[in-house]
C-alpha cells in the first residue's frame, strides 16, 4: 500500500472498530499504535485520527483486504473480551470488503480456539484462497 491517505483510512477504520463495544481498552490502543508505526503514520496524525470521521476505503488487492481483516480480528481480541457487537461488526466489515463469509467464520473460529488468538499467515491465506478455487 503506497498511498498515505489509504493508510490513514485503514487506521481510521481500525480506530472506529476498536470502540464498537463502547470502550477503547489500553491494549487495543497499544495495538493501534503498533499498526500506526507499521504504516509509518506520525504520532500527531495518529492522535488526530481519533477526532476524524471514518473514511470508507476500497482496498483493491485481495491480499491487503485479508491483511486488514486479520488486523481487525487481532484488535477484536486485544482486550481479552469478545463482545457481541464486535463479532457482528467484523462479519459486516469482512463481507463489505468482499471476503467470503465461510472463510471469515473459519478464521474467526480458529482465532477463538487458539491460545494466542493468532493464526499463521499460511493458514490465513490458505483459507481465503480455498474460496477462490
Amino acid at each position: 500500500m503506497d498511498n498515505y491517505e489509504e493508510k490513514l483510512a485503514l487506521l481510521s477504520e481500525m480506530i472506529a472498530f476498536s470502540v464498537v463495544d463502547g470502550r477503547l481498552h489500553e491494549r487495543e490502543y497499544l495495538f493501534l499504535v503498533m499498526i500506526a508505526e507499521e504504516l509509518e503514520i506520525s504520532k500527531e496524525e495518529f492522535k488526530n485520527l481519533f477526532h476524524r470521521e471514518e473514511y470508507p476505503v476500497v482496498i483493491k488487492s485481495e491480499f491487503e483486504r485479508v491483511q486488514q481483516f486479520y488486523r481487525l480480528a487481532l484488535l477484536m481480541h486485544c482486550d481479552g473480551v469478545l463482545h457481541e457487537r464486535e463479532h457482528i461488526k467484523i462479519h459486516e466489515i469482512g463481507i463489505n470488503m468482499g471476503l467470503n463469509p465461510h472463510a471469515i467464520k473459519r478464521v474467526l473460529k480458529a482465532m477463538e480456539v487458539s491460545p494466542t488468538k493468532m493464526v499463521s499467515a499460511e493458514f490465513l491465506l490458505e483459507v481465503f484462497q480455498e474460496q477462490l478455487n
Side-chain angles (χ1 to χ4, degrees):
M1 177 181 334
D2 300 323
N3 186 319
Y4 191 72
E5 287 300 316
E6 286 178 356
K7 292 178 182 181
L8 290 175
L10 291 175
L11 193 54
S12 180
E13 177 182 43
M14 292 183 75
I15 289 169
F17 181 70
S18 70
V19 295
V20 79
D21 62 356
R23 179 172 180 252
L24 178 62
H25 192 277
E26 182 181 357
R27 282 186 260 169
E28 291 172 326
Y29 179 79
L30 293 174
F31 182 76
L32 290 167
V33 167
M34 232 175 39
I35 297 297
E37 289 171 356
E38 176 186 317
L39 295 175
E40 299 176 346
I41 306 293
S42 71
K43 289 180 182 180
E44 183 177 330
E45 189 71 55
F46 172 70
K47 289 178 183 177
N48 289 339
L49 287 176
F50 284 89
H51 306 290
R52 289 169 70 175
E53 295 208 16
E54 183 179 350
Y55 296 112
V57 62
V58 177
I59 305 171
K60 296 175 183 122
S61 148
E62 174 81 10
F63 175 76
E64 288 178 353
R65 288 194 306 260
V66 170
Q67 185 179 32
Q68 178 67 357
F69 173 79
Y70 186 58
R71 283 186 193 124
L72 291 169
L74 287 171
L75 180 61
M76 180 173 74
H77 289 285
C78 272
D79 62 1
V81 179
L82 184 58
H83 295 275
E84 182 64 25
R85 294 169 90 186
E86 290 173 323
H87 196 70
I88 291 167
K89 186 68 175 176
I90 199 161
H91 275 86
E92 180 184 308
I93 290 170
I95 289 169
N96 287 339
M97 287 179 171
L99 299 176
N100 182 286
H102 180 68
I104 291 170
K105 286 180 186 178
R106 278 190 62 198
V107 168
L108 292 176
K109 184 65 176 170
M111 290 178 75
E112 202 174 300
V113 298
S114 166
T116 63
K117 304 301 181 205
M118 298 173 73
V119 296
S120 71
E122 293 81 19
F123 173 79
L124 185 66
L125 294 175
E126 179 183 307
V127 168
F128 283 101
Q129 286 178 348
E130 273 178 11
Q131 304 306 313
L132 298 176
N133 294 331

